[in-house]
Amino acid sequence: MSQDAAELAAWVEQTLGTDGIELARLPAEASTRHFFRVSTGSSTFVAMLSPPDTEDNPRFAHLAGLFRRHGLCTPRIHAADFDRGMFLLEDLGERDFAQAYAVGEIDAPLAGAVRDLVKLQSVPGDGIAPYALTRFRDELAIFTDWLLGRFLGLDVPRAYAGVGEALIEATMSVPQCTVHRDYHCRNLIWRGDGTVGIVDFQDALYGPACYDIASLLRDCYVEFDEVRIATWRSRFFALANIDCTEAAFNRAFDLTAIQRQLKAVGIFARLYLDRGRASHLGDIVPVLVRIARLGREYPETAEFSGWIARDLLPRAAERLGKLPCVP
């Protein structure tokens, strides 16, 4: 156990007034936070170590409370030490959507996620920062800088000219609302009572109404067939009362998915190069395959899609094939 984890365990024991607790490390995503399931014998909690120099902990606490007040199942904060970045949280459950999908439970979790996404989008945006154009541009730069340049040693191709701005324009073409920004299978918990636990919400912004549903249905970690995607996208559109045509929404949905997935593969490369974490390298090729396939459908991305299929995918597969740590 690291020194930080040992200090967290001591703080949890002091907070709960008990000795001999067990901390089991939970999988981490792209942030610098670390999570542990705490077992006291009679109950469980989640302990979060969230370094205050890299994470906005007051924002996490504010949004956790705000979303709960609007009927969403975010974790209750039982105790917090903001100075040291230590939190004792409600345990929302062990079974995320990825685990449910893996055993064939798909439509019931999706129904719950769509229902709660409509609630999330109704949360007032007062005090929630806007999803600014500069942020979208910075996110796409993660793809060109970290995946193309640093990981693969490739220059940005001519086929990419104008693609980033076209994706941003499409993404921003729909009405704005509160968005989670990472609404996918590893951040959604499928609970025994049919409710959905929502985590990793601290980066929520006020942005495009198509963003979270694109994250959910065109997930980087699981691939649904197009019939299921169209069915749940249409149900969401009907429930969410979005002020645009469904055709315009569907186009923005797909192009937003491409924008998100380009950012994601850049982040996967950055995690490896910057932090030595190989956990997401195995997702790079499958996500690039989906980008290439979806990008063929739109004139803004068709040429770039062809370049991904012809040049980028073989280069990525070759590079990854030389790394023994790729899952």
Side-chain angles (χ1 to χ4, degrees):
M1 183 182 292
S2 69
Q3 181 177 348
D4 286 344
E7 291 177 2
L8 177 65
W11 176 78
V12 169
E13 288 185 345
Q14 181 181 26
T15 300
L16 293 175
T18 185
D19 295 325
I21 62 167
E22 296 181 6
L23 265 65
R25 185 180 289 272
L26 299 176
E29 284 293 310
S31 77
T32 58
R33 299 178 301 159
H34 299 281
F35 298 88
F36 303 83
R37 179 160 281 109
V38 178
S39 176
T40 65
S42 59
S43 57
T44 62
F45 303 88
V46 170
M48 178 174 75
L49 186 61
S50 182
D53 56 337
T54 59
E55 303 291 339
D56 189 344
N57 292 324
R59 177 177 172 78
F60 168 84
H62 167 70
L63 289 173
L66 177 65
F67 290 154
R68 286 193 71 86
R69 291 193 295 274
H70 283 82
L72 297 164
C73 185
T74 51
R76 298 182 187 276
I77 300 174
H78 294 294
D81 183 330
F82 285 91
D83 291 337
R84 293 194 289 169
M86 297 179 179
F87 291 78
L88 188 65
L89 307 174
E90 176 186 5
D91 184 359
L92 296 180
E94 299 184 47
R95 195 163 179 252
D96 64 22
F97 273 34
Q99 293 168 297
Y101 295 160
V103 295
E105 290 185 63
I106 299 174
D107 290 316
L110 285 177
V114 165
R115 175 199 65 218
D116 283 1
L117 182 52
V118 173
K119 291 181 187 178
L120 190 151
Q121 294 195 339
S122 71
V123 174
D126 299 342
I128 296 178
Y131 208 151
L133 291 176
T134 53
R135 186 183 288 264
F136 279 110
R137 294 186 181 111
D138 289 345
E139 290 175 351
L140 284 168
I142 299 171
F143 164 72
T144 55
D145 185 12
W146 286 93
L147 182 72
L148 296 190
R150 303 192 192 198
F151 189 69
L152 298 176
L154 292 173
D155 294 329
V156 178
R158 285 181 295 177
Y160 186 70
V163 169
E165 289 302 312
L167 294 177
I168 294 169
E169 181 180 351
T171 298
M172 298 295 287
S173 68
V174 299
Q176 308 287 290
C177 62
T178 298
V179 294
H180 178 287
R181 290 187 63 230
D182 229 2
Y183 202 75
H184 61 68
C185 65
R186 296 182 180 178
N187 289 332
L188 299 172
I189 310 299
W190 186 231
R191 292 156 61 84
D193 59 1
T195 60
V196 177
I198 301 174
V199 299
D200 208 16
F201 48 80
Q202 69 284 343
D203 293 324
L205 293 172
Y206 199 75
C210 60
Y211 196 89
D212 285 340
I213 191 67
S215 176
L216 177 70
L217 298 179
R218 295 203 183 277
D219 197 315
C220 288
Y221 306 111
V222 65
E223 185 174 14
F224 299 126
D225 63 72
E226 291 297 324
V227 172
R228 179 170 267 130
I229 289 171
T231 297
W232 285 108
R233 180 184 60 204
S234 180
R235 291 191 191 180
F236 169 77
F237 183 81
L239 290 170
N241 194 29
I242 298 168
D243 188 17
C244 67
T245 67
E246 189 165 3
F249 183 82
N250 292 349
R251 175 180 175 275
F253 166 92
D254 278 344
L255 294 174
T256 296
I258 292 173
Q259 183 270 335
R260 270 192 51 80
Q261 291 175 345
L262 288 172
K263 176 184 72 170
V265 291
I267 290 172
F268 299 161
R270 186 175 66 185
L271 283 172
Y272 176 71
L273 295 173
D274 195 42
R275 300 190 202 165
R277 283 178 48 187
S279 56
H280 291 65
L281 290 179
D283 297 305
I284 290 176
V285 166
V287 174
L288 287 174
V289 168
R290 292 174 214 159
I291 294 170
R293 185 187 306 131
L294 185 57
R296 292 197 302 260
E297 305 299 319
Y298 295 92
E300 300 94 329
T301 52
E303 184 182 358
F304 178 55
S305 170
W307 177 81
I308 292 175
R310 183 182 63 252
D311 297 322
L312 179 56
L313 270 167
R315 181 64 169 267
E318 179 186 16
R319 171 81 165 94
L320 290 163
K322 295 177 179 177
L323 298 176
C325 52
V326 179

